Amino acid sequence: MGRQGHIRLGVNIDHVATLRQVRGNTTTYPDMIKIMNLAIRGGADQITIHLREDRRHIQEFDVLNITRDSTVDVNLEMGANEVMTKIALKYLPAWVCLVPEKRAELTTEGGLDLFRSEHRVRRVISLVQPKGIEVSLFIEPSLRQVEQAHALGADACEFHTGKWVLLQDKRAKQKEWRRLCDAARLCHELGMRVHAGHGLDVPHVKKVRQLPYLVELNIGHSIICDAVEKGIENSVKQMKSLL
Ligand code: PXP
């Protein structure tokens, strides 16, 4: 495990919906189902979407369309609350990933504190697991948090890699990498799956794929940005050919 070729890739397509929503959902493009199918053709093992409380990108109709049409697992990232639990139970994604959510944040800025959110997390798990939905908890690479995830009955921990990615200082980065490795080992020893994600780009994926027992990465922003860089020339050529 943790070897190249054995790690599932969840492709987070939230930012495609961001592009649609900045025009107030008045355009028929980008078509989320088309993008989903292209990601699957590219090898995505899973489609990951985050239905945020402020609905800044993914809308409830996207959850409906994507869970209905996807030929691979759908991983629904969501806050641990009653409203979102009802939505998960309605559309039955393969996975739910519980994340902390602050309204003003640009993206998910830290992991869940499973001590402060213990009751809410326990309740969501107790409602969705009996319906066949597996639950991962998005946490910092902390041994305490991993133990608590196990106590709460999680199927997987998704380790927040964002801090590690952004660290510039070499020693601090190595220290954070060791924290990720220790947390991953404990997660596996306790019988949970090791997932990771946030802020990952090509150079960091070349390293993070060495994380012990890693079975899944969820990656969004860098893939969508790369797609824009690789695609814009052809898109401009198409317009230009009409003039
Ligand atoms: N995993 C989780 C739990 C997330 O909240 C996000 C961001 O929505 C990602 C993975 C993907 O992060 P990024 O878009 O930075 O690749």
Side-chain angles (χ1 to χ4, degrees):
M1 281 212 258
R3 279 173 299 141
Q4 200 176 345
H6 293 250
I7 301 166
R8 276 160 48 88
L9 175 62
V11 177
N12 182 316
I13 57 174
D14 289 353
H15 293 304
V16 178
T18 303
L19 288 174
R20 184 191 61 200
Q21 292 311 117
V22 288
R23 288 292 165 93
N25 203 13
T26 57
T27 56
T28 54
Y29 56 84
D31 178 337
M32 295 297 284
I33 294 300
K34 196 167 153 187
I35 298 296
M36 172 192 87
N37 284 324
L38 288 168
I40 294 170
R41 256 174 54 187
D45 300 294
Q46 168 167 278
I47 297 297
T48 294
I49 47 176
H50 184 177
L51 184 64
R52 295 187 77 99
E53 201 187 320
D54 65 10
R55 303 292 193 269
R56 70 174 76 155
H57 37 57
I58 296 293
Q59 307 296 305
E60 190 174 332
F61 64 78
D62 293 314
V63 182
L64 183 154
N65 294 339
I66 289 166
T67 50
R68 184 195 57 213
D69 291 354
S70 180
T71 53
V72 296
D73 284 353
V74 174
N75 174 32
L76 178 64
E77 298 173 352
M78 59 181 231
N81 59 57
E82 295 285 327
V83 174
M84 288 306 311
T85 303
K86 278 200 186 123
I87 291 174
L89 291 172
K90 191 166 166 192
Y91 300 111
L92 300 174
W95 281 86
V96 148
C97 177
L98 297 182
V99 299
E101 225 181 83
K102 291 189 232 121
R103 268 183 179 261
E105 67 189 357
L106 290 177
T107 178
T108 313
E109 282 166 1
L112 263 180
D113 181 337
L114 297 178
F115 294 93
R116 286 176 62 183
S117 59
E118 175 175 349
H119 298 294
R120 287 187 296 122
V121 170
R122 198 185 285 283
R123 178 157 170 77
V124 178
I125 292 179
S126 73
L127 290 170
V128 304
Q129 272 179 344
K131 300 291 175 195
I133 301 174
E134 295 196 86
V135 180
S136 68
L137 302 178
F138 189 52
I139 57 172
E140 301 292 326
S142 137
L143 301 183
R144 277 182 77 231
Q145 295 291 338
V146 176
E147 277 165 4
Q148 181 74 339
H150 175 61
L152 294 175
D155 299 290
C157 293
E158 178 166 328
F159 293 108
H160 194 308
T161 50
K163 183 179 168 197
W164 170 67
V165 168
L166 291 178
L167 277 170
Q168 298 292 329
D169 179 73
K170 209 172 159 199
R171 284 182 66 176
K173 203 171 178 98
Q174 276 172 354
K175 193 173 165 202
E176 184 66 10
W177 173 250
R178 283 195 296 273
R179 281 182 81 212
L180 281 162
C181 292
D182 291 345
R185 279 190 206 96
L186 180 62
C187 179
H188 174 76
E189 274 163 26
L190 293 174
M192 296 177 290
R193 290 161 54 104
V194 176
H195 299 179
H198 212 280
L200 295 170
D201 55 8
V202 168
H204 285 91
V205 167
K206 287 181 181 165
K207 175 77 179 169
V208 85
R209 68 187 181 196
Q210 294 164 20
L211 197 64
Y213 306 109
L214 181 68
V215 294
E216 177 177 311
L217 290 176
N218 285 292
I219 307 179
H221 191 250
S222 75
I223 292 179
I224 305 304
C225 292
D226 185 61
V228 174
E229 287 182 5
K230 289 193 171 129
I232 193 160
E233 186 177 339
N234 274 336
S235 305
V236 171
K237 272 187 188 149
Q238 175 184 286
M239 279 303 175
K240 185 72 180 171
S241 73
L242 303 174
L243 306 179

